[in-house]
């Protein structure tokens, strides 16, 4: 009997030794964002997920919604549809927004540049609505643009009802989708000029000078953080989509539903520390790098450059190498005019040992209009002359 008891003790002891590493691993996997409802950490260029917790759980995003609002503003700027100097008049409705605001008066005019400050730094709901109405004509039309863009970039658990993030039914996103929105916004490098500022001013040359202080305190207190957007409502609690860059590596960390700002910032800080201590990136291409020419059927120009739509890098654990990479380029073989700058006309894929490390769209470098009949005639005649 005593012998059997001793055997049982030995078995229990050995079992506890075997399970300790597993338990330690499980504990470590939850330590990065233990207090958040959901979270994710990705490397920006590759989109590689470095850590996640409930990352597909739909939750209210609060003012992180404005990341999509800023995507559409930056896209319009990139396409030349608006400029930073354009004047935007605030409607009665835009100036009536509650919550965080820059206190726009009905009929007050500000430039796109000023309103972007108000959105990115001060999280102004009135500034967001003024830009939404300026771009789309109405809030409803802008919300349609938001949801269309969400589908275009592959977001499966996001639905918008307004451009501000103010509480409303059926308005939700996820940590994963928010990280993908951050990835998309960072394609437009000028946005960092706004999201990285800790403070700035509006109406500087008036008696209504308005001080903006960034709602993302990590911009000041964590080296390398230069965006992107905080969020808070009573329902959503404290949220943040943050991005930081050290050396060649940029990462995006998202937290939903922290109980306090300090808790939110601590969770983000732990994720950033983890990324920069464990991983490194090797840059391959900058944004707008020309990759190959694509023939344009019936275009004023016969060819257009396919360029990278974003920076491309390879991610590796520290201590390992990122060698022997292969690049595969696929282009639209039946590209017809007209082509607009930024239209997707191919893809570029980076592989190592047959495994996809990164995949990204290639886009048109410039507009190509439809050729006139006279241009097409001269082109055809030239080909005929060469073959005769």
């Amino acid at each position: 009997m005593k012998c059997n008891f001793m055997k049982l003790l030995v078995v229990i002891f050995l079992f506890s030794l075997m399970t300790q590493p597993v338990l330690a691993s499980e504990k470590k996997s939850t330590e990065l964002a233990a207090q958040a409802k959901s979270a994710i950490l990705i490397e920006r260029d590759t989109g590689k997920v470095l850590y996640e917790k409930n990352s597909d759980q739909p939750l209210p995003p609060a003012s992180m919604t404005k990341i999509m609002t800023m995507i559409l503003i930056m896209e319009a700027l990139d396409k030349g549809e608006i400029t930073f100097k354009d004047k935007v008049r605030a409607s009665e409705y835009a100036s009536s927004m509650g919550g965080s605001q820059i206190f726009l008066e009905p009929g007050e005019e500000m430039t796109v540049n000023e309103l972007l400050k108000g959105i990115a730094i001060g999280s102004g709901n009135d500034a967001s609505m003024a830009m939404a109405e300026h771009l789309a004509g109405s809030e409803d039309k802008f919300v349609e643009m938001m949801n269309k863009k969400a589908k275009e970039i592959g977001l499966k658990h996001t639905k918008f009802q307004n451009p501000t993030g103010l509480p409303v039914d059926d308005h939700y996103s996820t940590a994963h989708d928010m990280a993908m929105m951050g990835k998309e916004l960072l394609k437009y490098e000028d946005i960092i000029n706004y999201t990285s500022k800790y403070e700035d001013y509006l109406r500087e040359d008036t008696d209504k000078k308005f001080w903006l202080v960034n709602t993302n305190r990590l911009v000041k207190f964590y080296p390398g953080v230069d965006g992107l957007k905080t969020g808070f409502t009573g329902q959503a609690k404290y949220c943040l989509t943050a991005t930081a860059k050290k050396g060649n590596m940029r990462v995006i960390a998202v937290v939903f539903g922290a109980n306090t700002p300090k808790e939110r910032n601590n969770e983000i800080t732990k994720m950033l520390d983890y990324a920069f201590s464990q991983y490194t990136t090797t840059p391959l291409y900058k944004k707008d790098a020309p990759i190959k020419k694509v023939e344009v059927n019936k275009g004023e120009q016969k060819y257009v450059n396919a360029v990278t739509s974003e920076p491309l890098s390879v991610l590796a654990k520290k201590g390992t190498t990122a060698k022997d990479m292969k690049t595969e380029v696929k282009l639209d073989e039946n590209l017809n005019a007209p082509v607009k700058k930024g239209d997707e006309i191919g893809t570029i894929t980076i592989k190592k040992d047959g495994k996809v490390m990164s995949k990204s769209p290639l886009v048109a470098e410039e507009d190509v209009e439809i050729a006139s009949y006279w241009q097409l005639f001269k082109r055809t005649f030239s080909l005929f002359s060469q073959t005769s």
Side-chain angles (χ1 to χ4, degrees), residues 9 14 29 80 100 110 126 211 216 218 222 227 309 311 368 374:
L9 286 176
L14 291 173
S29 70
S100 301
M110 281 193 179
D126 47 359
W211 186 34
N216 179 9
L218 291 180
Y222 190 104
S309 60
V368 179
W374 176 243

Side-chain angles (χ1 to χ4, degrees), residues 69-311:
T69 301
M70 289 189 286
I71 287 172
L72 294 175
I73 294 169
M74 297 307 295
E75 184 178 62
L77 285 163
D78 189 61
K79 290 181 176 180
E81 296 169 356
I82 59 173
T83 73
F84 287 107
K85 294 181 179 179
D86 286 354
K87 293 277 190 177
V88 179
R89 183 182 295 272
S91 70
E92 186 88 34
Y93 180 60
S95 63
S96 73
M97 296 293 107
S100 301
Q101 54 189 301
I102 60 171
F103 300 98
L104 286 170
E105 297 283 346
E108 182 178 4
E109 286 189 342
M110 281 193 179
T111 64
V112 170
N113 174 62
E114 291 169 323
L115 289 173
L116 258 177
K117 288 183 188 180
I119 297 168
I121 303 171
S123 195
N125 294 321
D126 47 359
S128 298
M129 190 61 70
M131 281 304 308
E133 291 178 335
H134 182 69
L135 286 175
S138 70
E139 179 183 17
D140 288 345
K141 291 292 185 183
F142 190 77
V143 169
E144 287 179 16
M145 290 169 62
M146 295 173 79
N147 289 314
K148 180 182 178 184
K149 191 65 181 180
K151 288 182 180 178
E152 283 178 7
I153 59 179
L155 309 188
K156 297 181 180 179
H157 305 290
T158 292
K159 187 176 181 182
F160 296 113
Q161 299 292 348
N162 61 47
T164 62
L166 286 167
V168 65
D169 291 341
D170 208 27
H171 183 104
Y172 56 84
S173 190
T174 66
H176 171 271
D177 285 5
M178 199 56 62
M180 293 301 105
M181 280 183 256
K183 188 177 188 296
E184 181 72 15
L185 180 58
L186 287 165
K187 287 182 179 180
Y188 306 103
E189 295 170 358
D190 284 343
I191 196 62
I192 294 299
N193 297 333
Y194 297 88
T195 60
S196 64
K197 289 185 178 179
Y198 183 68
E199 60 182 351
D200 209 325
Y201 291 91
L202 294 173
R203 309 180 184 94
E204 281 196 77
D205 299 324
T206 74
D207 57 359
K208 294 182 180 180
K209 188 174 181 178
F210 187 75
W211 186 34
L212 294 169
V213 179
N214 204 319
T215 53
N216 179 9
R217 299 293 188 262
L218 291 180
V219 166
K220 184 173 183 179
F221 297 110
Y222 190 104
V225 170
D226 49 12
L228 281 169
K229 192 70 200 71
T230 59
F232 170 78
T233 64
Q235 182 187 18
K237 296 191 177 180
Y238 292 91
C239 309
L240 175 58
T241 298
T243 184
K245 185 176 183 181
K246 287 189 179 181
N248 292 320
M249 186 164 79
R250 177 177 287 283
V251 296
I252 299 170
V254 183
V255 160
F256 272 78
N259 290 311
T260 66
K262 183 177 180 180
E263 194 175 90
R264 171 187 68 188
N265 292 347
N266 284 343
E267 304 287 55
I268 292 287
T269 295
K270 282 186 283 187
M271 285 194 279
L272 297 179
D273 286 345
Y274 172 76
F276 292 125
S277 68
Q278 298 297 313
Y279 293 90
T280 184
T281 58
T282 302
L284 299 178
Y285 299 97
K286 292 182 178 180
K287 183 179 183 291
D288 297 325
I291 301 299
K292 206 167 184 180
K293 289 186 180 294
V294 183
E295 186 173 359
V296 183
N297 297 326
K298 298 183 179 179
E300 280 188 340
Q301 302 160 219
K302 289 192 67 177
Y303 298 94
V304 65
N305 275 333
V307 300
T308 53
S309 60
E310 57 189 333

Side-chain angles (χ1 to χ4, degrees), residues 320-331:
T320 63
T321 60
K323 295 180 179 179
D324 303 321
M325 295 293 165
K326 291 186 177 180
T327 301
E328 290 183 3
V329 174
K330 289 188 177 180
L331 301 170

